[in-house]
Amino acid sequence: MTPTPHRALAVAAVAVAVALTAPAAPRASAQPAACAANGFCEDFESQTGTTPAGRWTTAVANCSGTGTATVDTTMAHGGTKSVRITGKAGYCNHAFAGTSLSGLPSGGDLYTRFWVRHTTALPAQHVTFAALRDTNDNGKDLRMGGQNKALQWNRESDDATLPAQSPAGVALSTPLPVNTWTCLEFRLDRTAGRLDTWVNGGLVTGLVVDGTPTQDVDQQWLNRGGWRPAPADLRLGWESYGEGDDTLWYDDVAVGTSRIGC
């Protein structure tokens, strides 16, 4: 299929797209998490122990190792607490703090916003720092993370990536800044199979599935027709499939059916 004019222009002018999609500076002051009536928010201030509790669990699939998820009082985006992930290389060293998405309306748009801070640049090899179990994809994960030192989405069931891991595709994404709080947002249109991703409020050209296959962006993703995600949970943490230790903090998480913003 022929890309839309907007998308074709973005892919042709990679240098311009990179400049336009580079993350803006985060806001200097912490903003309270937005709570939608049909969603939830979490600032972790009500946590009373060192293990995430309440709606949050720390179970990991298949195996466990040296990665940890703890409530931390040394770093926070707003207030005095966050969730700290001590992430280690190797799959079995994964660590996540997760929560169910049951009770949210099904179908249509699902928006998620969280603030993240980490200490080590994304590696060349594949890593995940957010995952959603997709009940419409045999329970496999829809994974947000990095590869080739830039942000990417990955579909566990067929290993499709967004953007394509070509030089042109990677250039349409962006790194995840280190040692600063970054606002990540995404929209899943669960009815139409669309996906948008924002970094510090700016839409990232390479992290968009708009339904029209575009080379180096979502052509590979759309090769398997009929993708209609139905996420059952949200997990924030670290999973490495090769190299890559990192320490990450998550704070001010918000989920709802309309855009929340930074």
Side-chain angles (χ1 to χ4, degrees), residues 38-103:
N38 56 4
F40 69 89
C41 65
E42 177 65 76
D43 59 11
F44 302 108
E45 295 303 299
S46 64
Q47 298 285 325
T48 58
T50 57
T51 301
R55 69 177 301 131
W56 298 88
T57 61
T58 57
V60 293
N62 302 317
C63 56
S64 61
T66 56
T68 60
T70 58
V71 177
D72 187 33
T73 58
T74 67
M75 189 76 68
H77 173 255
T80 61
K81 297 178 183 179
S82 65
V83 163
R84 171 179 169 150
I85 303 294
T86 302
K88 298 297 183 180
Y91 173 75
C92 284
N93 293 319
H94 51 192
F96 289 92
T99 182
S100 170
L101 298 179
S102 63

Side-chain angles (χ1 to χ4, degrees), residues 3 9 18-19 40 46 49-50 59 68 83 95 103 110 166 184 193 202 207 211 224 261:
L9 178 61
V18 172
F40 69 89
S46 64
T50 57
T68 60
V83 163
L110 178 72
S166 63
L184 291 182
L207 301 177
R224 191 183 79 188

Side-chain angles (χ1 to χ4, degrees), residues 71-191:
V71 177
D72 187 33
T73 58
T74 67
M75 189 76 68
H77 173 255
T80 61
K81 297 178 183 179
S82 65
V83 163
R84 171 179 169 150
I85 303 294
T86 302
K88 298 297 183 180
Y91 173 75
C92 284
N93 293 319
H94 51 192
F96 289 92
T99 182
S100 170
L101 298 179
S102 63
L104 275 73
S106 60
D109 287 342
L110 178 72
Y111 286 82
T112 299
R113 190 282 314 280
F114 58 89
W115 288 83
V116 60
R117 181 185 180 111
H118 73 137
T119 61
T120 307
L122 294 173
Q125 295 188 23
H126 181 203
V127 295
T128 293
F129 56 74
L132 304 97
R133 183 173 62 85
D134 187 353
T135 59
N136 275 355
D137 200 7
N138 295 315
K140 298 296 185 179
D141 281 343
L142 174 63
R143 306 186 287 203
M144 185 182 197
Q147 192 167 347
N148 287 313
K149 304 181 181 181
L151 294 172
Q152 72 152 19
W153 285 93
N154 172 272
R155 195 164 52 203
E156 181 186 8
S157 60
D158 60 356
D159 207 31
T161 66
L162 178 78
Q165 292 304 294
S166 63
V170 172
L172 289 168
S173 184
T174 184
L176 181 64
V178 298
N179 298 319
T180 187
W181 286 101
T182 299
C183 177
L184 291 182
E185 303 174 81
F186 61 87
R187 176 187 75 112
L188 279 175
D189 182 338
R190 296 167 291 180
T191 301

